[in-house]
Amino acid sequence: MDFDCNLKHIKESITRAKEAGAMIRLGPELEITGYGCEDHFLELDTVRHAWECLKDILLGDWTDGILCSFGMPVINGSERYNCQVLCFNRKIIMIRPKMWLANDGNYRELRWFTAWKLKDQLIEFQLPFEISEALQQKSVPFGYGYIQFLDTAVAAEVCEELFTPCPPHAELALNGVEVFMNASGSHHQLRKLDVRLRAFIGATHTRGGVYMYSNHQGCDGGRLYYDGCASVVVNGDLVAQGSQFSLKDVEVVIAQIDLEAVASLRGSISSFQEQASCKTRVPSVMVPYSLCQSFNLKMGLSSPLKISYHCPEEEIAYGPGCWLWDYLRRSGASGFLLPLSGGADSSSVAAIVGCMCQLVVKEIANGDEQVRADAIRIGHYTEGQFPTDSREFAKRIFYTVFMGSENSSEATKSRAKVLADEVGSWHLDVCIDGVVSALLSLFQAVTGKRPRYKVDGGSNIENLGLQNIQARIRMVLAFMLASLLPWVHNKPGFYLVLGSSNVDEGLRGYLTKYDCSSADINPIGSISKQDLRSFLRWAAIHLGYSSLADIEAAPPTAELEPIRSNYSQLDEVDMGMTYEELSVYGRLRKIFRCGPVSMFKNLCYRWGARLTPSEVAEKVKHFFKYYSINRHKMTVLTPSYHAESYSPEDNRFDLRQFLYNARWPYQFRKIDDLVKELDGERIHMSESEDHEKLNVGGGMGVVAAGSGNPNVGL
C-alpha cells in the first residue's frame, strides 16, 4: 500500500535495466500495490491508485524501447483480476489476468480475485477514462495470450500457474513462445527454494525456452518474508540468479540470451515438432518491432551457473534477520527488547538480531545509501556518524533483559550475560521475586490461601499457577521496559518486544498464555527446536557468538519450579514427549494431514521396531490430548515469521477450531481397536514357529514410502 515507494522502486529498476541494455523488464507479482494488501484489494481506492501509478510510468520515457511487465489489480466488468500489464513504448500492449490462483497455505487469492477462465480468446478491455485520455488509447487486448514481435514471441505466466498440473508454458511453447515471464509473490520457507528452481528448469529443459522469474524480497507488511532469488533459465540451465536474502530495496538481475539456442533445441526434438504441428492455438497480439539485437562480439552471452543454495542454518539467520530489519525500519520503532533467559530459544532470537546488525554494517560498507540512512535514523547517530561495528550498532538498538527468580540458576544468568556481551546488546539483570511475592500476598489476602510448588507438597493446580505468575510478570515487565527504557536513556520512540517461543512449543501448547512469549513479533515462532539447535551450533562459529555452543548443549528447561538436589525441571519431561517426537507429530498432522488414527498407523510403521502398538497409541493420544487442550493459545500467538510448513499458526496458515473434545472418544476408540488387532497378531506370530517375516495381506508385503494407504498389501 506504499504507492510512492513502490513507484520509486519500479522506476529505479527500469533505469538500471536500460543501463544494462535489457530489452525486457519483469517485476514481481502485484508490484504496484504490493502483494500482501489482502482485504485492501477489495477497496476501489487500491485499484484506482494502481492505475494512477501506471499512468505516471507510461507518460514518461520509462517504457521507451523496453517491454515492461507490471503487476496490479484490474477490474473488468464486475470482476477483479490479478493482472500483469505488459507495456511498450508508452502504450499498454496487453493485460494478462491470472488464470490459476494461489489459494492454499498462506494464500487466499480467491478471496480477492477471480480466475480468468476464457482461454480461447482475447477480449477488448475499455481502459478507465482518465487513463484512456492520458495515453490516447481507448482499449487493450485482455485475457490469455502472448505477444508476437517480429523476431520472437513473449508471454506471461503468473506465479502459481507454473506449479499447476498443466501449466500454460507447455501450451505456449508449442505456439512458438520463446520467452516466459513469471511475476511471483513467493514466500520463504526453510528448504523450499529447490522446489522453485527445479520448476523453472523443468519448464524449459524438455521444451526449450527462456524462463524469467521475478519475486518480491523482504517483509511485505505481514508474517511472510519474500525471498527474492530472481532468476533466468535457458533450456534448463540457470544463467542468472539473484540473492535470496538481502537488505536492498531494488535488485536487478540481468542475462544476455541467444534465442537461436531455443529454436535449435526445439528443432532437434521430434516429439516437440509433432505436438506443435497439432497444437491448440493460443491468441496473440502482434507488435511490429524487433527485440533482438544483431550479432555483436561486444555483448557476451550469459553462461550456465551452479545453483546457489543456503543451508537451513543460514536461512534461519538471514531470513528472519532481513525480516526484522524491514519491520524495524518501517514500524517507526527505535529498536528491539528481548527477554533473554539464557536458553536455546531466546538465545536464537538474540543471535538473529546480532546477525541483522552484522548485515546492516556490511551493506553500509558496500555503499548502500538507503540502509545507511535507515541505520542513522534508527540508531540516532549524529551528523557524519554511521554504524561501522555491529556490536556498537546493537548497543544502540537492542535491549536484552534477564528476568531471574529464585528458581533461576546462575548458569542461565551467566550464559545470558555472556551472549549479550558477544552480540553487543544493552543488557539488564532483573530479579522478579519481589513482584511475585507481592502478587502472592495479594492473593492470600483475598482468598486466605497461599499456593505451594509441587516439590513442596502443593497440588498440580498450585504448581501450574505459580509457574504462570512468573511467566506473566515477565511479559508485563518486558513491555514496560520497552516503552520506558528509551525515555530513561533520552532516546525518542519505543522498542518492539521480541518473542521467542518455537513452533513445537506452539503445537504442543507448552507456553503460558500471555507470558513472555507474548510480544510484538516473533522471528522464530515457526522454526522447530531441532532446527534451532542446529542453528545455534552454526551461529557459534559463523556469527562469532561462541557462547551459543554451551547454550545449545544445555538441557531445555523453563526454570519456573524450585531447583532441588533430587529435582530439576526439564522441558521434555514436563511435556511428556521429546522435541524430536513433536517435530514428527507436527509434520504428520499438518503436512500429511493425519488425524489421530492415521497418525497412529504411520507411527506404527515408523517406530514399530522399538515400540509396541500400545506404546505408540499412548504417545499419539498424549499428543492429541495436549494439542487440543492448548489449541486456544494459537488464537493469541504473537505474529511470527513463517518458516515451517507444519506451523500451527492460527491466523491464516493452520485454520482449525480452538475448542475440541480433548478426549477424542471416537478416534481414540478406533486406535484402541487397532491396538487389540495388532496385539493379537503379535501373539499369533510369537506362537508360530514358521513365521520369519510378516506378510501383509498374504503373499509379499510391500509398503511404498509415503504411501497414502498403508493397508494395501501387494
Side-chain angles (χ1 to χ4, degrees):
M1 297 294 290
D2 190 352
F3 291 95
D4 282 339
C5 194
N6 294 346
L7 188 58
K8 173 189 171 186
H9 294 161
I10 289 169
K11 289 179 177 178
E12 181 181 342
S13 72
I14 297 173
T15 298
R16 288 163 60 179
K18 283 185 173 183
E19 289 172 351
M23 299 301 293
I24 301 176
R25 178 268 179 198
L26 169 68
E29 186 176 13
L30 294 166
E31 65 175 323
I32 292 179
T33 59
Y35 181 81
C37 296
E38 299 185 329
D39 280 2
H40 285 296
F41 285 127
L42 303 178
E43 300 167 5
L44 292 179
D45 276 3
T46 304
V47 180
R48 186 180 300 114
H49 297 332
W51 279 114
E52 291 164 354
C53 291
L54 183 65
K55 181 177 75 171
D56 184 293
I57 294 169
L58 291 174
L59 289 178
D61 62 357
W62 306 101
T63 61
D64 288 357
I66 184 170
L67 174 65
C68 292
S69 180
F70 306 113
M72 58 178 277
V74 175
I75 295 177
N76 178 35
S78 58
E79 304 96 44
R80 184 184 293 99
Y81 293 98
N82 175 350
C83 295
Q84 286 302 119
V85 182
L86 295 113
C87 304
F88 185 70
N89 284 347
R90 310 191 189 198
K91 298 291 182 183
I92 301 174
I93 305 301
M94 173 185 172
I95 298 177
R96 164 68 155 83
K98 193 172 181 179
M99 298 188 295
W100 308 110
L101 301 177
N103 209 59
D104 50 20
N106 286 297
Y107 299 103
R108 300 285 180 276
E109 288 185 16
L110 277 171
R111 180 180 174 95
W112 311 300
F113 301 109
T114 300
W116 180 254
K117 301 175 182 70
L118 303 178
K119 287 191 63 178
D120 58 345
Q121 59 180 301
L122 287 169
I123 66 170
E124 280 298 307
F125 173 78
Q126 295 298 123
L127 292 171
F129 177 76
E130 296 84 357
I131 307 300
S132 176
E133 286 288 299
L135 303 182
Q136 297 297 299
Q137 182 181 2
K138 292 184 177 180
S139 64
V140 60
F142 185 102
Y144 172 55
Y146 63 92
I147 301 177
Q148 181 65 63
F149 289 90
L150 294 176
D151 49 3
T152 190
V154 181
E157 181 172 69
V158 190
C159 197
E160 178 73 10
E161 294 174 351
L162 168 65
F163 302 99
T164 56
C166 299
H169 67 254
E171 185 177 55
L172 290 165
L174 296 176
N175 277 264
V177 173
E178 294 178 311
V179 181
F180 306 97
M181 302 184 296
N182 189 313
S184 182
S186 186
H187 69 277
H188 171 242
Q189 198 166 281
L190 295 179
R191 307 172 181 89
K192 176 187 171 187
L193 180 60
D194 183 57
V195 175
R196 199 187 305 161
L197 286 170
R198 279 192 281 112
F200 311 151
I201 291 168
T204 59
H205 179 70
T206 57
R207 58 181 67 90
V210 177
Y211 207 94
M212 301 173 61
Y213 172 82
S214 177
N215 187 24
H216 292 277
Q217 189 170 58
C219 171
D220 194 24
R223 293 159 170 80
L224 305 183
Y225 175 81
Y226 297 87
D227 58 338
C229 204
S231 305
V232 181
V233 173
V234 181
N235 292 351
D237 290 324
L238 181 77
V239 298
Q241 179 183 0
S243 66
Q244 190 178 9
F245 308 108
S246 171
L247 302 185
K248 293 182 174 68
D249 279 338
V250 178
E251 183 176 39
V252 177
V253 176
I254 304 291
Q256 186 76 21
I257 306 302
D258 180 6
L259 287 181
E260 286 191 359
V262 176
S264 176
L265 176 62
R266 290 178 175 177
S268 68
I269 303 173
S270 177
S271 59
F272 183 93
Q273 299 286 302
E274 291 298 313
Q275 290 190 354
S277 68
C278 58
K279 61 184 175 290
T280 300
R281 294 201 172 272
V282 176
S284 63
V285 177
M286 184 67 191
V287 177
Y289 192 94
S290 295
L291 288 184
C292 297
Q293 301 180 30
S294 58
F295 179 69
N296 186 346
L297 287 178
K298 293 181 180 179
M299 305 178 73
L301 295 179
S302 299
S303 301
L305 303 173
K306 181 181 178 181
I307 299 175
S308 175
Y309 291 112
H310 290 282
C311 67
E313 293 80 10
E314 290 174 320
E315 292 185 85
I316 292 171
Y318 301 140
C322 292
W323 183 75
L324 283 176
W325 176 245
D326 274 351
Y327 204 104
L328 177 61
R329 69 194 182 107
R330 295 175 188 169
S331 66
S334 299
F336 298 120
L337 182 139
L338 171 68
L340 182 59
S341 70
D345 295 331
S346 61
S347 297
S348 295
V349 175
I352 289 169
V353 176
C355 178
M356 181 202 80
C357 294
Q358 293 182 17
L359 290 172
V360 168
V361 170
K362 182 179 178 181
E363 284 302 314
I364 292 174
N366 290 337
D368 193 311
E369 292 299 325
Q370 185 60 58
V371 174
R372 174 174 163 150
D374 288 331
I376 290 173
R377 172 178 57 83
I378 295 167
H380 305 293
Y381 286 88
T382 57
E383 189 171 346
Q385 292 185 321
F386 57 88
T388 57
D389 177 77
S390 64
R391 294 182 74 254
E392 184 274 334
F393 184 53
K395 185 74 72 176
R396 289 173 174 265
I397 67 156
F398 189 29
Y399 287 126
T400 51
V401 187
F402 180 82
M403 292 182 272
S405 72
E406 61 182 355
N407 302 321
S408 303
S409 67
E410 284 298 320
T412 53
K413 179 179 179 179
S414 173
R415 287 197 290 263
K417 178 67 169 66
V418 172
L419 177 59
D421 289 342
E422 289 178 343
V423 172
S425 65
W426 200 92
H427 188 67
L428 274 175
D429 282 331
V430 178
C431 180
I432 65 172
D433 286 337
V435 187
V436 174
S437 179
L439 279 175
L440 290 176
S441 296
L442 175 62
F443 179 83
Q444 187 174 11
V446 172
T447 66
K449 291 189 174 184
R450 192 176 186 94
R452 294 177 298 166
Y453 288 103
K454 192 172 182 179
V455 295
D456 296 328
S459 65
N460 283 329
I461 293 175
E462 294 171 75
N463 196 62
L464 189 60
L466 286 170
Q467 293 183 70
N468 288 343
I469 289 171
Q470 297 167 74
R472 291 189 173 119
I473 283 172
R474 286 170 174 149
M475 184 269 287
V476 174
L477 183 58
F479 276 97
M480 184 181 76
L481 291 172
S483 61
L484 291 178
L485 277 180
W487 167 73
V488 170
H489 293 137
N490 295 315
K491 294 180 180 179
F494 62 97
Y495 277 47
L496 295 166
V497 178
L498 297 180
S500 58
S501 59
N502 63 63
V503 68
D504 298 322
E505 290 172 346
L507 179 66
R508 165 61 170 72
Y510 187 64
L511 53 97
T512 300
K513 204 171 187 178
Y514 304 117
D515 71 346
C516 62
S517 64
S518 296
D520 290 309
I521 50 174
N522 181 359
I524 66 165
S526 186
I527 303 175
S528 74
K529 191 77 164 189
Q530 300 294 98
D531 282 335
L532 286 174
R533 298 190 76 159
S534 296
F535 164 70
L536 289 173
R537 292 191 294 269
W538 175 89
I541 299 170
H542 295 89
L543 295 182
Y545 307 141
S546 58
S547 66
L548 293 175
D550 292 333
I551 292 170
E552 189 277 329
T557 173
E559 291 195 331
L560 293 170
E561 295 182 68
I563 300 171
R564 298 287 189 266
S565 59
N566 61 346
Y567 178 77
S568 181
Q569 185 180 23
L570 297 173
D571 288 357
E572 293 181 329
V573 175
D574 271 3
M575 293 190 298
M577 60 192 75
T578 67
Y579 281 108
E580 185 177 0
E581 288 172 342
L582 253 178
S583 185
V584 173
Y585 299 145
R587 293 178 195 281
L588 288 174
R589 182 198 70 97
K590 178 65 178 177
I591 301 174
F592 296 99
R593 297 165 291 279
C594 287
V597 177
S598 296
M599 185 180 292
F600 167 73
K601 292 177 180 178
N602 273 273
L603 290 178
C604 279
Y605 286 115
R606 183 179 295 212
W607 294 343
R610 60 184 179 87
L611 296 175
T612 67
S614 296
E615 291 170 329
V616 173
E618 286 307 308
K619 285 181 175 292
V620 171
K621 290 178 183 179
H622 187 72
F623 165 71
F624 272 100
K625 173 186 175 181
Y626 284 97
Y627 158 76
S628 52
I629 285 173
N630 292 309
R631 177 66 188 180
H632 65 95
K633 295 178 182 179
M634 295 302 95
T635 64
V636 296
L637 193 70
T638 295
S640 303
Y641 178 98
H642 178 87
E644 184 58 80
S645 55
Y646 71 88
S647 170
E649 191 269 314
D650 177 76
N651 181 266
R652 70 198 64 212
F653 183 70
D654 188 32
L655 304 180
R656 300 168 198 251
Q657 73 268 35
F658 55 87
L659 176 61
Y660 283 89
N661 182 342
R663 294 183 299 276
W664 297 79
Y666 184 88
Q667 294 91 332
F668 286 4
R669 189 167 66 250
K670 299 292 287 185
I671 291 176
D672 290 339
D673 292 342
L674 286 169
V675 169
K676 290 177 183 177
E677 290 178 23
L678 293 169
D679 283 345
E681 288 182 16
R682 290 166 66 88
I683 293 171
H684 176 71
M685 287 173 60
S686 65
E687 292 175 348
S688 172
E689 296 179 356
D690 298 329
H691 271 108
E692 294 182 3
K693 290 185 178 180
L694 169 64
N695 294 324
V696 180
M700 178 180 64
V702 178
V703 178
S707 169
N709 184 357
N711 294 323
V712 174
L714 299 179

